[in-house]
Amino acid sequence: MKTFFAGGFLYNPKTQEVLLHKRDDKTDINPNKWAFFGGLSEGDETPVQTFIREMYEELSIKFSKNEVIHLCDYENMERNTHRYSFYAVSDKKKEEMELGEGADFAWIPLDNVFKLDATQKTLDDLNIFIKKL
C-alpha cells in the first residue's frame, strides 16, 4: 500500500471543543501552525491504525478502533498523498496527556478554530466536521 497521512483530533461534545496540535519551528511542513495530530503510515498499517499510533506517540493516549470516527479522506494534491482524517470523543484534561512532539496542544472552542493560524487542510476538515454536527 502507498504511504498515506492519517491524523485528526479529539472532540469534547460537552464543552464543544477540539484538541489541536501546535507544530514547532523545527518542522519543514507548516511550522508554528495549528494542525491535527498525525503523520505518515508505517509498513502495512491501516489508516485507523496509523491514527491510533500517532495519537499514542504524540499524546501518550490509547484508543481502540471502535473509538475512532472517520471524518473524511481525499487526495492531498500538494503532498501527493492520500489524507485520512479522524476524531475521537474525549473529555480528557490536558494534564492527563503528555506532548511527544511539537510546541503545544490545547482544547479550542469550535467558535474559535477559524481564528487560529492553522493549516488550510486542518481548517477544511474542521469545516466538514462542523457541518456534520
Side-chain angles (χ1 to χ4, degrees):
M1 181 179 226
K2 184 180 171 189
T3 301
F4 55 83
F5 171 87
F9 57 96
L10 301 184
Y11 173 60
N12 185 333
K14 295 174 194 162
T15 62
Q16 296 289 295
E17 294 175 315
V18 292
L19 189 77
L20 297 178
H21 185 216
K22 176 82 184 273
R23 298 178 60 82
D24 61 28
D25 60 0
K26 296 174 182 69
T27 180
D28 293 333
I29 301 171
N30 298 310
N32 302 308
K33 298 268 190 183
W34 288 92
F36 287 168
F37 299 92
L40 295 176
S41 60
E42 295 179 359
D44 60 352
E45 285 179 326
T46 66
V48 171
Q49 289 169 331
T50 300
F51 174 72
I52 290 170
R53 176 183 51 77
E54 289 289 340
M55 293 301 284
Y56 183 73
E57 289 176 0
E58 296 181 14
L59 289 175
S60 296
I61 56 175
K62 292 184 179 183
F63 290 100
S64 66
K65 290 179 188 178
N66 63 350
E67 294 175 292
V68 176
I69 302 164
H70 177 262
L71 177 62
C72 61
D73 67 273
Y74 51 88
E75 196 67 25
N76 180 345
M77 299 305 199
E78 293 87 17
R79 299 267 175 244
N80 192 30
T81 187
H82 204 82
R83 177 183 174 93
Y84 294 88
S85 294
F86 300 95
Y87 68 97
V89 174
S90 177
D91 61 359
K92 279 192 178 292
K93 304 277 186 258
K94 184 175 179 177
E95 303 79 45
E96 298 176 76
M97 298 175 267
E98 184 179 321
L99 186 63
E101 60 185 62
D104 200 4
F105 65 106
W107 284 105
I108 311 292
L110 282 175
D111 293 345
N112 294 340
V113 294
F114 296 103
K115 298 174 188 172
L116 294 174
D117 184 15
T119 71
Q120 190 59 53
K121 296 288 185 224
T122 297
L123 295 174
D124 292 345
D125 292 357
L126 284 171
N127 199 26
I128 292 168
F129 174 72
I130 289 168
K131 287 178 182 176
K132 287 185 174 186
L133 281 180

